[in-house]
Each structure stands twice: as C-alpha cells, then as structure tokens.
C-alpha cells in the first residue's frame, strides 16, 4: 500500500523502491502477499500501474475502510477503463461484496 500511495502521488521512482522490496516479504500461501507480488510484477512490466489498477486499488482500500457507498462510486469509474474479462470479474466481485455489506442483497446476487 505504501508503493501504491507513491503511484497515486505520481512518484513512480519511490513506488519502485517499495515494489522491489515486496519479493522478500512474500509468504507462500498468504493471498495478500502473493497478490502484492503479482501487482509488483505488473508494475515493473509496464513501468507503472495501468489505469484500471489505479482505480481498482482505490476501491479496494475504500472497501477495507468500510465506506461501501464510496466503493460503489469508485467501481463505477473503474468500469469505464476495464478491458479484460478478468478486470470486469474483479469489479463484479468487489461490487457484490459492497452491496452485501450494505444489505442490498438482490444487487449483491446480481453482481456475483
């Protein structure tokens, strides 16, 4: 998340410093660690995070903060830049989770 903060500030050099450290911190079978490693690899492949990831990461952090309405707003923005089936699936999963937290179960089911 520190690296992501630097990305959002436009400082990819500082972000890269932290992305390089991720490899040494990854624990096998820890989903968040493995996800972070995957994101770091994508960062170095493109020398930046793609636009989708910038929006999606904001939505994920907002979801962690339990601000579900804002999560849905951010996912609407994210949807506009989603290109792949995988990206669209990630949006649907997070959207369904946000709806479920808001007890909007029918919308949650439709999202999943």
């Amino acid at each position: 998340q520190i690296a992501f903060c630097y990305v959002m500030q436009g400082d990819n050099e500082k972000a890269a410093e932290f992305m390089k450290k991720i490899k040494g911190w990854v624990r096998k079978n820890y989903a968040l660690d493995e996800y972070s490693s995957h994101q770091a690899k994508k960062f170095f492949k493109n020398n930046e995070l793609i636009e989708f990831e910038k929006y999606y990461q904001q939505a994920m952090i907002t979801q962690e903060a339990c601000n579900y309405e804002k999560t849905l707003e951010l996912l609407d923005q994210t949807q506009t830049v989603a290109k792949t089936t995988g990206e669209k699936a990630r949006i649907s999963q997070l959207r369904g989770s946000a709806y479920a937290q808001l007890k909007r179960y029918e919308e949650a089911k439709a999202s999943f």
Side-chain angles (χ1 to χ4, degrees), residues 6-55:
Y6 282 117
V7 167
M8 294 307 294
Q9 292 176 354
D11 192 343
N12 282 347
E13 286 184 35
K14 272 283 207 203
E17 287 178 34
F18 283 92
M19 294 283 190
K20 288 176 186 173
K21 295 177 182 181
I22 289 172
K23 186 176 182 180
W25 294 337
V26 174
R27 298 166 291 179
K28 192 164 179 64
N29 298 321
Y30 282 79
L32 188 55
D33 287 6
E34 292 179 3
Y35 177 77
S36 296
S37 176
H38 178 72
Q39 289 300 319
K41 288 175 188 173
K42 286 171 55 173
F43 175 85
F44 287 116
K45 179 181 176 185
N46 299 310
N47 291 318
E48 65 179 355
L49 283 184
I50 62 172
E51 191 173 16
F52 169 83
E53 290 298 340
K54 290 178 185 177
Y55 283 116

Side-chain angles (χ1 to χ4, degrees), residues 70-95:
K70 182 65 176 177
T71 299
L72 294 170
E73 290 174 24
L74 288 166
L75 289 172
D76 288 342
Q77 293 174 339
T78 307
Q79 191 73 46
T80 66
V81 297
K83 296 177 182 163
T84 68
T85 301
E87 291 171 349
K88 292 172 185 174
R90 290 169 63 194
I91 291 168
S92 293
Q93 184 279 327
L94 192 57
R95 184 182 307 280

